[in-house]
Amino acid sequence: MKDLFDKIYKDKGPLGKWASQAEGYFVFPKLEGEIANRMKFRGKDVITWSINDYLGLANHPEVRKVDAEAAKLHGSAYPMGARMMSGHTDLHEQLEKELAAFVNKEAAYLLNFGYQGMVSTVDALVSKNDIIVYDVDSHACIIDGVRLHMGKRFTFKHNDMESLEKNLDRASKMAEQTGGGILVISEGVFGMRGEQGKLKEIVALKKKYNFRLFVDDAHGFGTLGKTGAGAGEEQGIQDEIDVYFATFAKSMASTGAFIAADQEIIDYLKYNLRSQMFAKSLQMQLVVGALKRLEMLRTMPELKENLWTIVNALQSGLKEHGFDIGNTSSCVTPVYLKGSIPEAMALVKDLRENHGIFCSIVVYPVIPKGMILLRLIPTASHTLEDVEETLKAFDAIRDRLENGTYKRLSAAVSAAMGD
Ligand SMILES: Cc1ncc(COP(=O)(O)O)c(C=O)c1O
């Protein structure tokens, strides 16, 4: 019989196999200094395009003050226990009321982490007779929620309404046999490539098919829509989203998340959401911090305006410089280049060491072989100078990619990897 660990000793997994070349640099890098548009990486100043702090709240003096006061007053333990048992407070309820009002829903419920909360919400919304139909490019938290489902599930091609309809057709026939219902899941904004989910088209299909829509709006909350209520507001169909989800990890620059829906649905989830029933309540310092951030989202529209000044400058600048930024319709800014993984590594090293630009790099298997995706997340704390510097650096690295410099530089890396 094999030892359980044999497979681990032999195969570190699709990402883990790169660890010896990549760790500390391409993965698990350490950015140092206060969270801002410019931080330090391995002792050097870099423009940071990967910190998700859309509205620039992470290091805002008012936010820092409230966070510090809340930590002093409540410590990091309070309240102890799960919400249901001993971890419930007035401030948790107040935050839920304010979040619900902000996203135009009757009620909301707090989640300790977005990822776990999404998994658990998918799990709680369906029983084995129900059918899930979800976008094939969904975030891991949706996929892992679907994995818990004991019944049927179908994927539809990314943002492809014909494929969705085909699968709704199949799901409807199946639901007639099982006696269950249908849950459709999409994202408000797809976080890798930046396209908004086609929520308007999806809800139009409600006229023809009977389903409920669950939207993960991690990247849309605070960045899209007139009031910042997200992709549903931007597309004018917020009322048609049956269950709305957003995390505090991006626009709110914190930790935690929430779901919002009709009161009766939230009441049900309160009693059936295993990630909250069997886990300690969200810490009070995070609750107090979230109340402050939400107040700023409501009362300081300039935060979103500043964000979009940078987004527009960056995205139009990249396009003018001839870069392929795909079909983004959000702040997420992908730049698609062609090259091998070793070339991508040489390119990113050049970008960081010689141009002082720090952004995320995505390669196969997340995107097709031979493609390199540089992913930039603009924030309200970036400046137009940051954009200009970045555009110049991108011109330079594209030249070197095209004239084979990175191929030569990466030959040694390639040989070492057997690529
Ligand atoms: C689309 C999406 N959903 C869910 C999550 C998970 O949220 P959290 O970081 O709060 O666990 C993320 C990442 O933060 C995300 O990008």
Side-chain angles (χ1 to χ4, degrees), residues 113-116 118 139 141 187 216 218-219 245 247 249-250 256-257:
F113 295 98
Y115 175 90
Q116 289 167 7
M118 272 301 289
H139 189 271
C141 62
E187 294 187 33
D216 174 343
H219 292 269
F245 161 95
T247 171
K250 303 186 193 293

Side-chain angles (χ1 to χ4, degrees), residues 159-342:
N159 253 348
D160 181 331
M161 294 303 105
E162 211 176 296
S163 169
L164 171 60
E165 205 169 340
K166 207 181 280 172
N167 282 289
L168 278 172
D169 220 38
R170 286 164 82 188
S172 304
K173 284 179 190 133
M174 194 159 283
E176 303 233 314
Q177 286 162 20
T178 62
I182 300 172
L183 179 67
V184 172
I185 313 176
S186 179
E187 294 187 33
V189 171
F190 288 84
M192 280 293 151
R193 299 169 187 267
E195 305 123 339
Q196 285 181 48
K198 292 191 177 165
L199 306 180
K200 199 170 177 183
E201 282 98 323
I202 295 176
V203 301
L205 289 170
K206 280 186 168 183
K207 289 204 182 84
K208 199 161 162 197
Y209 300 95
N210 186 2
F211 65 86
R212 294 291 184 175
L213 176 61
F214 182 19
V215 173
D216 174 343
D217 202 21
H219 292 269
F221 179 80
T223 68
L224 292 176
K226 193 163 177 282
T227 68
E233 183 185 34
E234 176 87 16
Q235 298 183 34
I237 48 82
Q238 183 74 353
D239 287 352
E240 299 285 338
I241 296 175
D242 297 289
V243 184
Y244 177 89
F245 161 95
T247 171
F248 297 161
K250 303 186 193 293
S251 281
M252 296 275 272
S254 184
T255 300
F258 71 98
I259 37 171
D262 285 352
Q263 185 71 55
E264 206 169 338
I265 304 305
I266 293 297
D267 287 345
Y268 173 84
L269 290 171
K270 268 167 74 172
Y271 284 85
N272 292 279
L273 211 58
R274 295 170 71 82
S275 71
Q276 298 311 116
M277 291 163 69
F278 300 106
K280 185 177 181 287
S281 172
L282 193 66
Q283 283 175 14
M284 190 60 110
Q285 63 185 86
L286 295 175
V287 172
V288 172
L291 279 163
K292 178 67 194 169
R293 289 158 170 81
L294 188 58
E295 177 202 308
M296 293 171 80
L297 259 68
R298 272 194 311 255
T299 59
M300 297 171 68
E302 65 272 22
L303 295 171
K304 188 155 68 71
E305 284 156 20
N306 293 346
L307 165 67
W308 277 96
T309 302
I310 300 300
V311 173
N312 291 331
L314 182 68
Q315 294 188 352
S316 57
L318 284 164
K319 278 197 241 168
E320 279 158 22
H321 284 235
F323 286 98
D324 175 8
I325 64 165
N327 299 318
T328 181
S329 50
S330 70
C331 305
V332 177
T333 306
V335 177
Y336 298 96
L337 298 165
K338 286 201 179 91
S340 64
I341 292 178

Side-chain angles (χ1 to χ4, degrees), residues 6-17:
D6 278 350
K7 62 179 181 301
I8 296 174
Y9 298 138
K10 267 197 216 113
D11 179 3
K12 307 289 178 217
L15 284 175
K17 72 176 180 185

